[in-house]
Every structure is written in structure tokens, then in C-alpha cells.
Amino acid sequence: MADRELNILALDGGGVRALSTLHILKNIMEAIDRENPPKPCDFFDMIGGTGSGGLLAIMLGRLKMDIDQCITGYTRLCKHVFGRKKRLSLTAMGSRKSKAKHDGTKLEFALKSILRELGHEDREILLQDMDLSCRVFVCVTDASTHKLVPLTTYPSKYCPHELYKSTKIWEAGVASFANAALFDPITLGPSRRRFIDSSAQANNPIREVWIEAKNVWRLTSLEAQLRCLVSIGTGLPTIKRTAAGRNSGGGGGGVFFAGFGAKSADAAGGAVDPEVETNKFMQEHSELDDDGRLFRFDVPNGLAEIELDSIAEMETIVDATQDYLAKELVYKQVRRCGKALARPAGSELSFRR
């Protein structure tokens, strides 16, 4: 269909494991043009993410970084933020201890450093963006109500107006990245509400990104307008065993795989298994998969069990991802994805890309 023009990217959360996301995305961009890989912002009309995926969405979509820039910047950010644990200390009231493992001000510093390196003299630049060629959608959670709230670079009925008008780029990055087990919440907006990441609600944000895209492109069904939807995870866990299975010494019936409708915790942060959302979404939109317009990439064999802040495992993450990408089936899937993303030369939207 000639009207299928929209490309959408959804990025899971995963702390340092987001390096895997970037290396997968690098291969996808090279599948489009190996000699001159395009920036993701030049091919995706919307990039949405949760946790580290939300931060990557900001870096790639709002700041329009290329993949190599983003890999370098994100690696340095993780080493700076997770390099040394925060010392536990009394709060200003002196009545209780902060439970945060890491210092959110180091994350703020790292993000402002990236802004400076990209030539943004104003470190307080807002998330909102008049350039709508690549919309950015970030999931965060109200720490009091536990309600998922989107932060967007464009006006959205789902993003509170005061947050759209006031949230800065670095604030959105901190809020998206601030896993409750690792950081204190960040205060946003005139109402001074506190926010954390949304890994517990939507570590795989494919459904949230889809709903938001339907809100943005409402003239006809999103399915009719979609060229390609790409979802990238930050690693799968190994086989999970029930308590009965562990205690039975290996008897039958003790092993299960997280599947449709299951609720299983991510070893590194207590998030629901992202593949549950993938399975549900694919069942609801099987025609997209059948048409070769829906792609999901996720490194298997226990990558999900690497802790969110384990910078010592960064080389392992990259090596495991390269091994995954070298597999023939994955290699062919990446090539198909690159072909699906590429718009015909005569397309109206191809000229800006």
C-alpha cells in the first residue's frame, strides 16, 4: 500500500544492558545503508522507551545523535553514574536514611555533559521540540500513585500539559532512567510531583508506544499507515524454575517458560518479563507479523540476569549481542527489517531522510 509510511521504534528498559539495544540498532541502520548508516531519527517517525530505553529515545530522537555517538555517550554515562555506589546518609530532616544505591545528581551531570558536547549552550533546554519529524515518547511513573505517565516532545492528550511545558531534557532522562531500586525519585513540574522509571509497569513499552501512535496519527487506522514497527529488548532470562521444581531434584513438571499471561520478575529489577507483552501484542496484531512489518530483537541465554548497574559486565553484554547478531536467522531478520524500514525513493517522506 502506498500510504504505509510510518516507522516506529520501541525500546525496553535494562540499565547497562541497553548497550545491547544500541548494537542491535546499529546493525539495523547498517542494513539500510552499510556505507553511510543513517541516524535513527532520520528513519523513525516515533521512538518510545521505558527506563534506559526512554533515555536512548531522548538521545537518538530528541538530541538526534547517531548510533556511534550514542554508544560512546551511553557507555561513558553508565561508567560515571554506576562507577561508585552512593554512600548512605541521613536526609536533610535527619529522620531516615535514603535507600538509593546511586546518586541521581551524577546522572544529571552526565546528561548535561552530553548536551554541552552536542553544542547546547542552554543545559536547561526543554524536552518539547518544534521539529516533529521524529516524535519522542518516554514512560515514567508517578511515585505516589504508581500511575504511568508519558513525557513527550510534542503535544499529547496523555502527557499532562504542565509537564509538556516545563520538563527539561535532562529531567526527562533522569525520570526515565531512575529505577526505584537504584535511585531516588525526581521532582518534576510546578506541582512538584515525584517520578521514577516505569520498568515495573511497562518494561517493554510496545503497547504504550502503539497507543500513543494511534493518538498521534488518527486520520485512519494505524495499521494502514504503518510501514514498520521495531521493538528491541535488553536480553532474555534463562529457564525459570518453580519452587516445586527446584525442590524436587529435577522431576517432571518443575520447569516452565514465561509465556502468554505469565508474570515473572526480571532478575535485575523486579520488572515483568518483557516477552509477555511481546507475545500479547503479536497475538493482537498478527497481521503485522504476517506482512513482515513487525520485528522484535532480544538477546537470549540469560543476558537479562545481568544487573542493571553492572558496568563490569558491559563487555560481556556487547560480546553476547554480537554473537546473537552473527547467527544466520538473526542476520537475515535484521536484513529484512532494514528493507522493511526503507521507504521508496519516490516517497514524499523519503526526501527528509
Side-chain angles (χ1 to χ4, degrees):
M1 292 177 61
D3 57 347
R4 287 180 177 171
E5 294 287 0
L6 299 176
N7 289 326
I8 299 172
L9 177 61
L11 304 174
D12 290 17
V16 296
R17 303 195 309 270
L19 278 175
S20 176
T21 299
L22 288 172
H23 281 275
I24 291 170
L25 189 56
K26 178 181 174 72
N27 273 253
I28 294 172
M29 294 295 101
E30 290 174 350
I32 296 172
D33 186 341
R34 182 167 292 279
E35 295 302 318
N36 297 289
K39 292 181 178 181
C41 66
D42 289 335
F43 261 80
F44 289 102
D45 301 277
M46 175 178 283
I47 305 177
T50 294
S52 56
L55 178 54
L56 295 187
I58 293 170
M59 295 171 75
L60 295 168
R62 176 62 177 89
L63 298 179
K64 306 190 188 313
M65 298 172 74
D66 64 40
I67 289 291
D68 288 332
Q69 277 182 312
C70 199
I71 289 174
T72 300
Y74 189 73
T75 300
R76 188 168 64 242
L77 179 147
C78 287
K79 289 180 177 179
H80 177 75
V81 173
F82 296 138
R84 182 177 298 179
K85 294 179 182 178
K86 178 182 176 183
R87 292 183 179 180
L88 293 178
S89 60
L90 293 177
T91 63
M93 296 299 292
S95 59
R96 61 184 180 89
K97 290 183 178 181
S98 170
K99 296 181 180 179
K101 187 177 179 182
H102 297 285
D103 189 349
T105 61
K106 295 177 72 174
L107 180 55
E108 174 186 344
F109 176 84
L111 290 172
K112 288 183 175 179
S113 295
I114 290 174
L115 288 171
R116 182 179 63 250
E117 291 170 6
L118 292 175
H120 294 282
E121 295 300 326
D122 181 9
R123 312 291 188 269
E124 305 300 316
I125 185 172
L126 295 177
L127 179 66
Q128 64 173 265
D129 190 2
M130 296 302 102
D131 181 1
L132 300 180
S133 61
C134 180
R135 292 171 169 84
V136 171
F137 169 87
V138 176
C139 299
V140 299
T141 294
D142 188 306
S144 299
T145 65
H146 305 292
K147 179 182 177 181
L148 190 150
V149 177
L151 301 177
T152 60
T153 59
Y154 53 91
S156 168
K157 72 177 184 180
Y158 298 119
C159 176
H161 185 68
E162 71 165 43
L163 294 181
Y164 169 70
K165 298 293 290 185
S166 65
T167 303
K168 303 174 180 65
I169 288 177
W170 71 263
E171 290 178 325
V174 171
S176 177
F177 199 75
N179 182 276
L182 301 180
F183 297 96
D184 287 324
I186 180 175
T187 301
L188 298 179
S191 297
R192 309 293 294 167
R193 298 193 69 83
R194 301 164 78 230
F195 293 89
I196 55 175
D197 83 326
S198 295
S199 59
Q201 290 82 10
N203 200 49
N204 176 352
I206 189 169
R207 189 184 301 271
E208 285 69 27
V209 172
W210 181 262
I211 292 171
E212 182 62 26
K214 287 180 69 175
N215 173 56
V216 172
W217 292 285
R218 290 178 288 182
L219 292 180
T220 184
S221 71
L222 185 56
E223 289 86 352
Q225 301 176 76
L226 184 74
R227 173 166 291 276
C228 188
L229 171 59
V230 182
S231 173
I232 307 179
T234 56
L236 296 170
T238 53
I239 294 174
K240 302 174 183 66
R241 298 182 182 275
T242 63
R246 287 192 297 267
N247 296 332
S248 66
V255 180
F256 71 95
F257 291 94
F260 182 78
K263 294 284 186 179
S264 58
D266 182 310
V272 173
D273 186 344
E275 292 309 300
V276 173
E277 284 303 311
T278 300
N279 291 337
K280 287 181 179 179
F281 189 86
M282 285 188 168
Q283 289 176 338
E284 294 167 356
H285 303 278
S286 59
E287 73 285 355
L288 298 181
D289 186 38
D290 295 341
D291 291 345
R293 295 190 286 152
L294 173 59
F295 294 86
R296 171 71 175 177
F297 298 96
D298 212 355
V299 178
N301 302 327
L303 190 70
E305 291 158 17
I306 293 177
E307 297 291 334
L308 298 176
D309 58 350
S310 184
I311 57 174
E313 298 282 7
M314 294 174 81
E315 186 174 342
T316 300
I317 293 167
V318 174
D319 289 345
T321 304
Q322 296 299 347
D323 288 345
Y324 166 74
L325 291 166
K327 295 183 184 302
E328 186 67 16
L329 288 176
V330 178
Y331 173 83
K332 290 181 177 178
Q333 189 76 342
V334 168
R335 303 273 81 73
R336 284 192 287 267
C337 181
K339 184 177 180 180
L341 286 168
R343 294 184 174 92
S347 167
E348 179 182 350
L349 294 182
S350 69
F351 294 108
R352 72 170 174 85
R353 297 181 184 276

